[in-house]
Amino acid sequence: MYKVLLVDDERIILEGISSIIDWKEIGTELIGTARNGLEAYDFIVREKPDIVICDIKMPGMTGLELVARVSKEFPEVKFIILSGFNEFEYAKRAMEHGVKHYLLKPCNEKSIVEALTSIINDLSTDAKKEQSLFDMKSRLDQIQPYMKKQLLKEFITTKLDNN
């Protein structure tokens, strides 16, 4: 299960999205909500969510400031940005920090689920690649002593044959 944090300063948005999405069905768990960027940052440090769904305009720390700070400290955390602002500059700044999903309010359940599903697919692909690299390194670690021994034997044999 991927852990999700929902951040918005509007209580009605928090409650609406919290209740409309079938979190378990898409392999996620809503582990908390926050009403502003500062509260969200503290939550992220403490709970380490995989995905943060976040508003742009909030008191304390904006969504873009939150994304910038978290992407430096916790680059594995993925963001979905919610905004009532249809301005390219906000989207561009969010993309500079690796945000792939920028949804305009009001957004429907389908668009949120599609964004979550896309991120989950990316995360599971990354996890598979990481596991594959770990497996290769483990195999290499296992055969390395044998390879060293064989190379040393060949070196010695070649030296002896040439003398």
Side-chain angles (χ1 to χ4, degrees):
M1 285 275 184
Y2 291 99
K3 301 183 293 185
V4 180
L5 170 64
L6 180 57
V7 187
D8 201 303
D9 59 329
E10 296 178 54
R11 186 179 54 80
I12 195 159
I13 300 287
L14 285 179
E15 291 174 0
I17 294 174
S18 295
S19 63
I20 198 169
I21 305 294
D22 188 347
W23 302 98
K24 282 188 172 57
E25 183 181 310
I26 56 173
T28 61
E29 175 187 4
L30 182 63
I31 61 169
T33 61
R35 298 287 302 269
N36 61 59
L38 294 171
E39 191 180 310
Y41 178 77
D42 290 341
F43 190 94
I44 291 166
V45 169
R46 199 174 55 250
E47 300 295 329
K48 310 279 190 297
D50 302 296
I51 304 167
V52 177
I53 301 173
C54 177
D55 189 15
I56 285 276
K57 292 279 192 179
M58 297 180 294
M61 181 190 300
T62 69
L64 288 177
E65 291 168 337
L66 179 65
V67 168
R69 187 169 180 186
V70 170
S71 67
K72 284 180 190 161
E73 296 176 38
F74 307 100
E76 66 281 1
V77 176
K78 305 298 182 201
F79 279 85
I80 297 171
I81 296 292
L82 301 175
S83 179
F85 297 90
N86 190 6
E87 293 185 27
F88 178 72
E89 191 57 36
Y90 285 115
K92 183 177 168 236
R93 286 179 49 205
M95 285 185 253
E96 288 170 0
H97 296 288
V99 175
K100 293 182 183 176
H101 302 279
Y102 188 93
L103 305 176
L104 292 176
K105 291 179 185 176
C107 51
N108 60 26
E109 175 187 4
K110 183 180 180 219
S111 61
I112 296 170
V113 168
E114 285 173 354
L116 282 166
T117 303
S118 173
I119 289 175
I120 290 165
N121 289 338
D122 289 348
L123 288 171
S124 61
T125 298
D126 291 347
K128 287 176 188 170
K129 286 178 186 174
E130 196 172 302
Q131 183 62 44
S132 178
L133 285 172
F134 178 79
D135 292 345
M136 279 193 277
K137 186 181 178 327
S138 295
R139 285 192 298 256
L140 185 60
D141 289 345
Q142 289 173 346
I143 65 169
Q144 193 174 17
Y146 174 76
M147 289 175 58
K148 284 180 181 178
K149 188 176 177 181
Q150 282 301 109
L151 283 171
L152 187 59
K153 276 183 184 178
E154 286 182 34
F155 178 74
I156 293 171
T157 305
T158 305
K159 277 288 197 190
L160 290 175
D161 288 345
N162 289 339
N163 289 334

